Amino acid sequence: AAATGEYIAFVDGDDYVEPDMYEFLYDLIQAHDADIAQCGLYSDDNGVITTTADGAVHTYTGEAVLRAYIMGGPDWIAVYNKLYPRELFLKEKLDFDLKIAEDRLTNYCLLRNVRKIVFCNEAKYAYVTRPNSAMRRPYPVEWLTGDMTCCRYIMEEQKDTGLFVYAKAAYLTSCLAHLMYILYTGLNTEYYDELMSEVRHNIPFLIKNRRLFRRADRIKAVLLLTNKRLAKWVYTRHRDQ
């Protein structure tokens, strides 16, 4: 590896961090005897700052690390809000044939080797969105296929473990999100039937494990199966608010 330091961190080119972010993360690792530390995020949307960070500190060990990652949101998937020990990268061959969503699979592979992680939900990393940012544009088909590839990879790896049910719930949640986006934009429609078949086939699983799905996702599933026009209307109103 080209890096020679004890720890490794990542920053997207158009984002910025608080001056003390890496000292903050390093101190968390030392204070909690953890392998990895991660912090909360805030959004800089063309100068408008928002965050859901509340300063809470949580530690995860053993199987709870991967479970938190699989069921977690952007804080967990991202690589840019974490401080990693360099030795983790030496244990894994991180060579994925992905143009987008490679950070999701990178984190999964690294966290398989983690003994303990500490997460302090204090915003130290700014995710920047500008009028011409990629997040303002319709996402490319590579994001859909990359995201689903990651979800399927994790689900396959966990098929004989107690984490399989969580991996499958995360996969179906991604299916629902992509289906609603396809309805909203009219893009990537060639994947609609494939994703819809997955949801339809797994409705019994969704009902049986409803605690693993947000109420909004259960509603998405019902609307997609019964009334696509209403599903699109509800999604559009929610997105435009």
Side-chain angles (χ1 to χ4, degrees):
T4 58
E6 187 178 353
Y7 291 94
I8 291 176
F10 302 88
V11 183
D12 279 0
D14 52 355
D15 297 340
Y16 59 90
V17 305
E18 293 296 312
D20 68 339
M21 173 175 162
Y22 295 114
E23 179 182 8
F24 177 80
L25 292 173
Y26 178 79
D27 287 346
L28 280 173
I29 288 174
Q30 297 303 309
H32 295 272
D33 187 29
D35 299 313
I36 293 174
Q38 71 178 37
C39 62
L41 311 172
Y42 58 89
S43 170
D44 180 346
D45 190 349
N46 204 30
V48 178
I49 307 297
T50 58
T51 183
T52 58
D54 57 10
V57 179
H58 304 279
T59 58
Y60 303 85
T61 59
E63 186 180 273
V65 173
L66 278 181
R67 184 168 64 246
Y69 164 78
I70 290 169
M71 296 302 292
D75 287 346
W76 282 91
I77 293 172
V79 296
Y80 44 66
N81 65 331
K82 297 176 179 63
L83 187 62
Y84 301 91
R86 175 176 172 268
E87 64 184 29
L88 277 183
F89 290 85
L90 301 179
K91 294 178 180 178
E92 289 286 344
K93 183 181 178 182
L94 301 174
D95 184 16
F96 312 125
D97 186 22
L98 293 172
K99 295 181 179 179
I100 299 178
E102 70 283 356
D103 51 349
R104 183 169 194 166
L105 205 48
T106 293
N107 261 330
Y108 172 75
C109 291
L110 293 176
L111 291 176
R112 290 183 302 192
N113 295 307
V114 165
R115 172 184 55 87
K116 185 177 184 181
I117 185 168
V118 55
F119 174 27
C120 179
N121 194 19
E122 184 171 333
K124 294 289 184 180
Y125 187 100
Y127 188 86
V128 177
T129 307
R130 299 291 184 239
N132 61 343
S133 294
M135 290 302 291
R136 293 290 194 194
R137 303 191 294 270
Y139 63 66
V141 68
E142 288 84 2
W143 166 243
L144 186 156
T145 55
D147 182 52
M148 300 314 297
T149 296
C150 292
C151 289
R152 288 167 180 153
Y153 178 92
I154 295 169
M155 195 165 57
E156 177 64 21
E157 271 227 339
Q158 298 299 329
K159 65 180 180 181
D160 296 321
T161 76
L163 292 176
F164 175 75
V165 66
Y166 299 98
K168 189 169 183 177
Y171 169 67
L172 290 173
T173 298
S174 284
C175 286
L176 291 168
H178 290 305
L179 281 165
M180 297 301 281
Y181 190 80
I182 290 170
L183 279 183
Y184 177 75
T185 63
L187 299 173
N188 306 328
T189 54
E190 64 270 28
Y191 292 94
Y192 185 87
D193 289 342
E194 176 187 345
L195 295 174
M196 197 66 241
S197 176
E198 289 290 316
V199 172
R200 187 177 293 111
H201 177 72
N202 285 289
I203 284 296
F205 175 88
L206 193 151
I207 294 172
K208 180 180 178 181
N209 298 281
R210 55 182 298 168
R211 64 185 176 82
L212 299 180
F213 297 88
R214 297 177 306 152
R215 181 172 178 268
D217 290 322
R218 298 197 301 269
I219 292 172
K220 286 178 190 176
V222 171
L223 290 177
L224 285 165
L225 288 167
T226 59
N227 193 324
K228 286 200 302 185
R229 182 176 297 179
L230 181 57
K232 180 179 180 180
W233 181 83
V234 170
Y235 181 81
T236 302
R237 278 183 59 87
H238 173 73
R239 187 180 176 91
D240 292 344
Q241 283 178 351

